[in-house]
Amino acid sequence: MALYVLYEHAAGYAVFSVKEFEEIAMLLPQVEQSVTDLSRFNSIVKLLGFSPFKTAVAALENVNAISEGIVPDDLSVFLDSVLPKASKSNKFTLGVADAKLGAALGEALKIQCSHIGAVPEILRGIRHHFPKLVKGFSDKSAGVAQLGLGHSYSRCKVKFNVHRSDNMIIQSIALLDQLDKDINTFSMRIREWYSYHFPELVKIVPDNYLFAKVAHFVKDRKSLSAESLEALEEIVMDSEKAQAIIDASKMSMGMDISVIDLLNIEMFAKRVVHLSEYRHQLAAYLHSKMGNVAPNLQSLIGDQVGARLISKAGSLTNLAKYPASTVQILGAEKALFRALKTKSNTPKYGLLFNSSFIGRANAKNKGRISRFLANKCSIASRIDCFTESPSNVFGEALKQQVEDRLKFYESGETPRKNLEVMKEAMEAAALINPAGTENGTKKKKKNKKRKQEDAENNGDAADETLNETANGNGTIAEEEPEADGEPKKKKKKKKNKNKEAADE
C-alpha cells in the first residue's frame, strides 16, 4: 500500500510520496536517525506537488478552517489533482498531522488517512528540511510566511473571542479582591504608623478610608486649630467628630515626630486614599459590565457574587452549562473532595455563601435555600447567555421567588407557583422589548404557513394517487400489462375470491 503525506505550511500545501512504507514502518529507529540527514531523508521522501496560497487572507481562511476540523476548498481541489484515484488495485494511505483533519478528509474525499506509526517522524523530517525540498523556497521566505500567518491567526482569535466580555468581568473581580486585601493591609499599616504620633485618632475615626484622609490632612497634630474645623467637617462629615479631633490633638499622648517621617506618612496615606477611590471606581465599572453581560444574575445575587461565579466557571457560557448542583458547591471543591475521601458530609454551599439570602436563613434552612438559590442562578445564567435582548426582568422575578421561599421557611406562607411567575416575567419582557417578540411571532407564523403548505401538498399528492389507482367500484384498477403478466394474475385471483364468496 502506497503512502502519501500531507504537510500544511504557512506558504501552502504540499504532498509527498513515501517510498517503501511497510519497510519504513518496520524500521522506525532508522527513520528517526535519518530525519536529520537530508541525503538519507531524500531517499525516503519525494515531493509530489505544492500549492502555494495566493494571498495572506486565503492563508488565514485555510488555517482557520483546518484548526476547526473543516476541509477547505483549496485543499480538496489540490488533493483531487495530486493524489491518484483510489481503486481496488491501487490503494493508498494519506498521512496527516491532525486526527480531526484526517477524519474530515475521510468523510469529504473518501480517503484513508493515518496520523500514527511512521507518519509523525516523516512529518518531523519534512518540517525540518521543507525549504530545501521545495525549489525556489528559502529559510528566510519560510520564516516570513510563518511569522505573518502566526500574527494574523493570533489577532483573529483574540478579535473574535466569544468570551471577551466575560474576560473583562473575570479580570475586574480578580483585581477587586486583590485591592480589598491590599487596602486592608495598607490601612492597618497607616493606622499603626500614625498612631505613634496621634494615638487618639483611631478611636475617633474607626473607618480606614476616613482615617487615611484625616491623617493626610492633619500631618502634625500641633498644627491643628479652630480654623481647620471646617475642612475636617468636610472630610469626616460630622461636626462633633471634627471638634473631638481638635480637642484630642491638644491633649494627645503621642510622641513628637520629625518632618521626614511625617512626609513619608503623608505620602503613604495619599496612596491609600487613591487606592480606595480607585476601588470604588472599579466596583462601579464591574456593576456596569455585569449589567450589560449578565443582568439577571446581577439582579439575583449581586455584582460580586455573580462575577465570582463567572470567574470560577471560566466564562458565562460554561456557567450556563453547569447543572444547579455544580453551581451550589462551586468554590468548595477542596471541602467536597475531602468529604468524599473521609466519607463525611459534603458541603452545602460554596461561593453562594457570600449571598445575603443564605445569611438571612436559619441554620437548618441554609442548605435548602442554598439549593433553591443555585437552581435560580443556573436559570438566570442560561437566560443571560442565550438571550438576544438582555434585561433584568427575569432576575427580579427569580429574586422575588427566593424572597418568597425565605418567608415560607420562616412563617409557612405558601409561595407562588413557578409557572405563574415566569408567565408574568415573559409578559413584562415582551413589553420592554416588543421587537424581539414580533420577530418570534413572525417566525412562528412562517413555520405554520410552511407546515400548512406541506400538508396541502401532501394531501393533493395523496388525492392524485388515489384517483389514479382507484375506480368507481372501489376496486384496484388494471395496471398496464408487463412482460411477465403478473398484474393480470393477481386480478384474476381477486375475482375468483369474490366469486367464491358470492357462491358461499
Side-chain angles (χ1 to χ4, degrees):
M1 183 184 290
L3 173 67
Y4 299 96
V5 177
L6 171 66
Y7 179 64
E8 312 97 35
H9 193 265
Y13 299 113
V15 173
F16 294 86
S17 62
V18 183
K19 299 176 184 177
E20 299 174 356
F21 168 58
E22 294 179 357
E23 294 182 6
I24 289 170
M26 294 288 290
L27 304 171
L28 200 59
Q30 287 83 342
V31 174
E32 293 177 2
Q33 294 174 3
S34 65
V35 160
T36 54
D37 189 3
L38 180 61
S39 59
R40 295 174 66 184
F41 192 71
N42 268 330
S43 63
I44 299 173
V45 174
K46 182 181 177 183
L47 180 65
L48 199 66
F50 178 65
S51 173
F53 295 126
K54 296 178 181 179
T55 59
V57 177
L60 181 60
E61 290 176 356
N62 280 267
V63 169
N64 283 327
I66 288 172
S67 65
E68 293 173 3
I70 302 169
V71 181
D73 295 335
D74 297 342
L75 180 58
S76 60
V77 170
F78 173 62
L79 291 178
D80 284 336
S81 61
V82 172
L83 294 176
K85 293 184 178 179
S87 60
K88 291 183 179 179
S89 59
N90 186 19
K91 291 183 179 180
F92 64 88
T93 303
L94 181 65
V96 293
D98 188 13
K100 290 182 180 179
L101 181 62
L105 285 170
E107 291 180 2
L109 303 177
K110 309 299 180 186
I111 299 173
Q112 183 181 353
C113 298
S114 175
H115 64 282
I116 56 174
V119 173
E121 291 299 326
I122 294 169
L123 282 170
R124 187 164 70 91
I126 292 170
R127 193 181 301 112
H128 186 68
H129 301 294
F130 185 73
K132 298 173 184 177
L133 294 173
V134 179
K135 291 182 180 180
F137 207 63
S138 63
D139 292 328
K140 187 177 180 181
S141 57
V144 170
Q146 288 174 344
L147 186 64
L149 184 60
H151 276 273
S152 57
Y153 179 71
S154 301
R155 195 180 300 114
C156 181
K157 283 293 180 185
V158 172
K159 185 178 179 181
F160 295 104
N161 187 9
V162 182
H163 309 306
R164 57 184 180 273
S165 298
D166 305 349
N167 291 335
M168 300 300 110
I169 292 174
I170 292 169
Q171 297 299 327
S172 299
I173 191 63
L175 181 57
L176 199 66
D177 291 339
Q178 188 66 41
L179 277 176
D180 286 336
K181 293 178 182 177
D182 293 343
I183 290 170
N184 190 24
T185 305
F186 294 157
S187 299
M188 290 171 63
R189 184 63 52 214
I190 193 67
R191 287 161 76 93
E192 185 178 351
W193 197 358
Y194 193 67
S195 292
Y196 290 128
H197 178 62
F198 195 178
E200 292 83 8
L201 187 62
V202 177
K203 294 181 180 179
I204 300 170
V205 185
D207 185 68
N208 292 331
Y209 174 64
L210 290 179
F211 184 89
K213 288 189 77 174
V214 171
H216 180 259
F217 172 76
V218 172
K219 297 165 190 164
D220 190 359
R221 69 172 190 273
K222 294 178 181 178
S223 63
L224 280 178
S225 61
E227 296 176 356
S228 55
L229 181 63
E230 293 182 3
L232 276 174
E233 284 182 7
E234 291 180 2
I235 296 171
V236 185
M237 303 296 291
D238 190 353
S239 59
E240 294 181 359
K241 280 187 178 180
Q243 188 62 45
I245 291 169
I246 293 173
D247 294 340
S249 65
K250 295 176 182 177
M251 303 170 61
S252 177
M253 296 173 61
M255 58 182 282
D256 293 334
I257 200 164
S258 65
V259 178
I260 298 173
D261 295 336
L262 277 174
L263 280 173
N264 283 287
I265 292 172
E266 180 188 354
M267 290 170 62
F268 187 52
K270 190 177 180 182
R271 287 290 179 90
V272 173
V273 170
H274 286 327
L275 275 177
S276 300
E277 290 173 354
Y278 174 65
R279 196 260 177 212
H280 291 303
Q281 293 174 8
L282 189 64
Y285 167 74
L286 180 64
H287 179 77
S288 64
K289 267 293 178 187
M290 284 292 291
N292 294 331
V293 176
N296 293 297
L297 193 64
Q298 178 194 29
S299 300
L300 179 59
I301 54 173
D303 301 324
Q304 295 190 19
V305 182
R308 286 192 181 97
L309 286 176
I310 293 172
S311 176
K312 191 68 179 177
S315 67
L316 183 62
T317 309
N318 292 346
L319 183 64
K321 291 177 183 177
Y322 285 165
S325 57
T326 306
V327 175
Q328 181 181 353
I329 58 170
L330 204 63
E333 288 82 6
K334 287 185 179 179
L336 174 66
F337 290 115
R338 184 170 63 248
L340 293 174
K341 188 177 180 180
T342 58
K343 295 182 180 179
S344 57
N345 293 330
T346 55
K348 297 176 182 177
Y349 27 69
L351 291 170
L352 290 179
F353 180 75
N354 297 319
S355 175
S356 60
F357 296 114
I358 295 175
R360 287 160 52 192
N362 296 328
K364 64 177 182 180
N365 295 326
K366 284 185 184 294
R368 295 177 182 177
I369 201 67
S370 173
R371 187 165 56 251
F372 188 79
L373 182 61
N375 184 15
K376 300 305 174 186
C377 284
S378 64
I379 294 171
S381 61
R382 288 166 191 172
I383 294 170
D384 289 329
C385 183
F386 300 110
T387 187
E388 294 179 357
S389 54
S391 65
N392 63 343
V393 175
F394 290 97
E396 294 293 339
L398 294 171
K399 184 179 180 181
Q400 188 58 43
Q401 279 188 302
V402 181
E403 295 281 356
D404 294 343
R405 185 54 62 103
L406 275 173
K407 290 180 183 177
F408 170 70
Y409 289 146
E410 292 173 0
S411 61
E413 183 181 350
T414 55
R416 297 174 62 195
K417 291 184 178 179
N418 188 38
L419 185 62
E420 297 176 1
V421 177
M422 287 296 109
K423 278 185 178 179
E424 287 185 3
M426 289 176 71
E427 290 173 0
L431 291 174
I432 292 172
N433 187 21
T437 54
E438 286 177 4
N439 293 331
T441 52
K442 284 179 182 179
K443 286 180 182 179
K444 287 180 181 178
K445 287 180 181 179
K446 284 182 181 179
N447 292 332
K448 283 183 180 179
K449 284 183 180 180
R450 284 178 186 174
K451 287 179 182 179
Q452 288 177 359
E453 289 175 0
D454 293 339
E456 289 175 0
N457 293 332
N458 293 332
D460 294 340
D463 292 339
E464 288 176 2
T465 52
L466 286 171
N467 291 331
E468 289 175 358
T469 56
N471 57 14
N473 296 327
T475 58
I476 297 173
E478 293 183 2
E479 295 180 2
E480 291 182 4
E482 295 180 358
D484 52 1
E486 287 180 2
K488 288 185 178 180
K489 289 180 182 179
K490 286 181 181 178
K491 189 175 180 183
K492 284 179 182 178
K493 285 180 182 179
K494 287 182 180 179
K495 284 184 179 180
N496 293 333
K497 286 181 181 178
N498 294 331
K499 285 181 181 179
E500 289 173 3
D503 294 333
E504 288 175 2

Coordinates of all heavy atoms in Angstrom, one line a residue, residues 163 166 297 309-310 313-324 326-327 330 374-375 377-387:
H163 N -15.8 35.0 24.4 CA -15.9 35.3 25.9 C -15.1 36.6 26.2 O -14.6 36.8 27.3 CB -15.3 34.2 26.7 CG -15.8 32.9 26.3 ND1 -17.2 32.6 26.4 CD2 -15.2 31.7 25.9 CE1 -17.4 31.3 26.0 NE2 -16.2 30.8 25.7
D166 N -16.8 38.4 29.0 CA -16.6 37.7 30.3 C -15.2 37.9 30.8 O -15.0 37.9 32.1 CB -16.9 36.2 30.0 CG -18.2 35.9 29.4 OD1 -19.0 36.9 29.4 OD2 -18.5 34.8 29.0
L297 N -28.4 37.6 36.4 CA -27.6 37.1 37.5 C -27.2 38.2 38.5 O -27.2 38.0 39.7 CB -26.3 36.4 36.9 CG -25.5 35.6 37.9 CD1 -26.3 34.4 38.3 CD2 -24.2 35.1 37.2
L309 N -18.8 33.8 40.4 CA -19.3 32.6 39.8 C -18.8 32.5 38.4 O -18.4 31.4 37.9 CB -20.8 32.5 39.9 CG -21.5 32.2 41.2 CD1 -23.0 32.3 41.1 CD2 -21.1 30.8 41.7
I310 N -18.9 33.6 37.6 CA -18.4 33.6 36.2 C -16.9 33.3 36.2 O -16.4 32.6 35.3 CB -18.8 34.9 35.5 CG1 -20.3 35.0 35.4 CG2 -18.1 35.0 34.2 CD1 -20.8 36.4 34.9
A313 N -16.2 29.6 37.0 CA -16.6 28.8 35.9 C -15.7 29.0 34.6 O -15.6 28.1 33.8 CB -18.0 29.0 35.5
G314 N -15.1 30.1 34.5 CA -14.3 30.4 33.3 C -14.9 31.3 32.3 O -14.3 32.1 31.6
S315 N -16.2 31.3 32.2 CA -17.0 32.1 31.3 C -18.5 32.0 31.6 O -18.9 31.0 32.3 CB -16.7 31.8 29.8 OG -17.3 30.5 29.5
L316 N -19.3 32.9 31.1 CA -20.7 32.8 31.3 C -21.3 31.6 30.6 O -22.2 31.0 31.1 CB -21.4 34.1 30.8 CG -22.9 34.2 31.0 CD1 -23.3 34.2 32.5 CD2 -23.4 35.5 30.4
T317 N -20.7 31.2 29.5 CA -21.2 30.0 28.7 C -21.0 28.8 29.5 O -21.8 27.9 29.6 CB -20.5 29.9 27.4 OG1 -20.6 31.2 26.7 CG2 -21.1 28.8 26.5
N318 N -19.8 28.7 30.1 CA -19.5 27.5 31.0 C -20.4 27.4 32.2 O -20.9 26.4 32.6 CB -18.1 27.5 31.5 CG -17.1 27.3 30.3 OD1 -17.5 26.9 29.2 ND2 -15.8 27.6 30.5
L319 N -20.7 28.6 32.8 CA -21.6 28.7 33.9 C -23.0 28.2 33.5 O -23.7 27.6 34.3 CB -21.6 30.1 34.5 CG -22.5 30.3 35.8 CD1 -21.9 29.4 37.0 CD2 -22.5 31.7 36.2
A320 N -23.4 28.6 32.3 CA -24.8 28.3 31.9 C -24.9 26.8 31.6 O -25.9 26.2 31.7 CB -25.1 29.0 30.6
K321 N -23.8 26.1 31.3 CA -23.8 24.7 31.0 C -23.8 23.9 32.3 O -24.1 22.7 32.3 CB -22.5 24.3 30.2 CG -22.6 24.8 28.8 CD -21.3 24.5 28.0 CE -21.3 25.0 26.6 NZ -20.0 24.8 25.9
Y322 N -23.4 24.5 33.4 CA -23.3 23.7 34.7 C -24.7 23.4 35.2 O -25.6 24.3 35.1 CB -22.6 24.5 35.7 CG -21.1 24.6 35.6 CD1 -20.3 25.5 36.3 CD2 -20.4 23.7 34.7 CE1 -18.9 25.5 36.1 CE2 -19.1 23.7 34.6 CZ -18.3 24.7 35.3 OH -17.0 24.7 35.1
P323 N -24.9 22.2 35.8 CA -26.2 22.0 36.5 C -26.2 22.8 37.8 O -25.2 23.3 38.3 CB -26.2 20.5 36.7 CG -24.7 20.1 36.7 CD -24.1 21.1 35.8
A324 N -27.4 22.8 38.4 CA -27.6 23.6 39.6 C -26.8 23.0 40.8 O -26.3 23.7 41.6 CB -29.1 23.6 40.0
T326 N -23.8 21.7 40.6 CA -22.5 22.1 40.5 C -22.3 23.6 40.9 O -21.4 24.0 41.5 CB -22.0 22.0 39.0 OG1 -22.2 20.6 38.6 CG2 -20.5 22.3 38.9
V327 N -23.3 24.4 40.5 CA -23.3 25.8 40.9 C -23.4 26.0 42.4 O -22.8 26.9 43.0 CB -24.5 26.6 40.2 CG1 -24.6 28.0 40.7 CG2 -24.3 26.5 38.7
L330 N -19.9 25.4 43.8 CA -18.8 26.0 43.1 C -18.0 26.8 44.0 O -18.5 27.8 44.7 CB -19.4 26.8 42.0 CG -18.5 27.1 40.8 CD1 -18.1 25.8 40.1 CD2 -19.1 28.1 39.8
A374 N -29.2 28.1 44.1 CA -28.4 27.6 43.0 C -29.2 27.3 41.8 O -28.8 27.5 40.6 CB -27.6 26.4 43.4
N375 N -30.4 26.7 42.0 CA -31.3 26.5 40.9 C -31.7 27.7 40.1 O -31.7 27.8 38.9 CB -32.6 25.8 41.5 CG -33.6 25.4 40.4 OD1 -33.2 25.3 39.2 ND2 -34.8 25.1 40.8
C377 N -30.0 30.5 40.1 CA -28.8 31.1 39.5 C -28.5 30.4 38.1 O -28.1 31.1 37.2 CB -27.6 30.9 40.4 SG -27.5 32.1 41.8
S378 N -28.7 29.1 38.1 CA -28.4 28.4 36.8 C -29.4 28.8 35.8 O -29.1 29.0 34.6 CB -28.5 26.9 37.0 OG -29.9 26.5 37.4
I379 N -30.7 29.1 36.2 CA -31.7 29.6 35.2 C -31.3 31.0 34.7 O -31.4 31.3 33.5 CB -33.1 29.6 35.9 CG1 -33.6 28.2 36.1 CG2 -34.1 30.3 35.0 CD1 -34.8 28.1 37.0
A380 N -30.9 31.9 35.7 CA -30.6 33.2 35.3 C -29.4 33.3 34.4 O -29.3 34.1 33.4 CB -30.3 34.0 36.6
S381 N -28.3 32.4 34.6 CA -27.2 32.4 33.8 C -27.5 31.9 32.4 O -26.9 32.4 31.4 CB -26.1 31.6 34.4 OG -26.5 30.2 34.6
R382 N -28.4 31.0 32.3 CA -28.8 30.5 30.9 C -29.6 31.5 30.2 O -29.4 31.7 28.9 CB -29.6 29.2 31.1 CG -28.8 28.0 31.5 CD -29.6 26.8 32.0 NE -28.7 25.9 32.6 CZ -29.2 24.8 33.3 NH1 -30.5 24.6 33.4 NH2 -28.3 24.0 33.8
I383 N -30.4 32.3 30.9 CA -31.2 33.3 30.2 C -30.2 34.4 29.7 O -30.3 34.9 28.6 CB -32.2 33.9 31.1 CG1 -33.3 32.9 31.4 CG2 -32.8 35.2 30.5 CD1 -34.3 33.3 32.5
D384 N -29.2 34.8 30.6 CA -28.2 35.8 30.2 C -27.4 35.4 29.0 O -27.0 36.2 28.2 CB -27.4 36.2 31.4 CG -28.1 36.9 32.5 OD1 -29.0 37.7 32.1 OD2 -27.8 36.8 33.6
C385 N -27.0 34.1 29.0 CA -26.1 33.6 28.0 C -26.8 33.5 26.6 O -26.1 33.8 25.6 CB -25.6 32.2 28.4 SG -24.3 31.5 27.3
F386 N -28.0 33.1 26.6 CA -28.6 32.7 25.3 C -29.7 33.7 24.8 O -30.3 33.5 23.8 CB -29.2 31.3 25.3 CG -28.2 30.3 25.7 CD1 -28.2 29.6 26.9 CD2 -27.2 30.0 24.8 CE1 -27.2 28.6 27.2 CE2 -26.2 29.0 25.0 CZ -26.2 28.3 26.3
T387 N -30.0 34.7 25.6 CA -31.0 35.7 25.2 C -30.4 36.7 24.2 O -29.2 37.0 24.2 CB -31.6 36.4 26.4 OG1 -32.7 37.2 25.9 CG2 -30.5 37.3 27.0

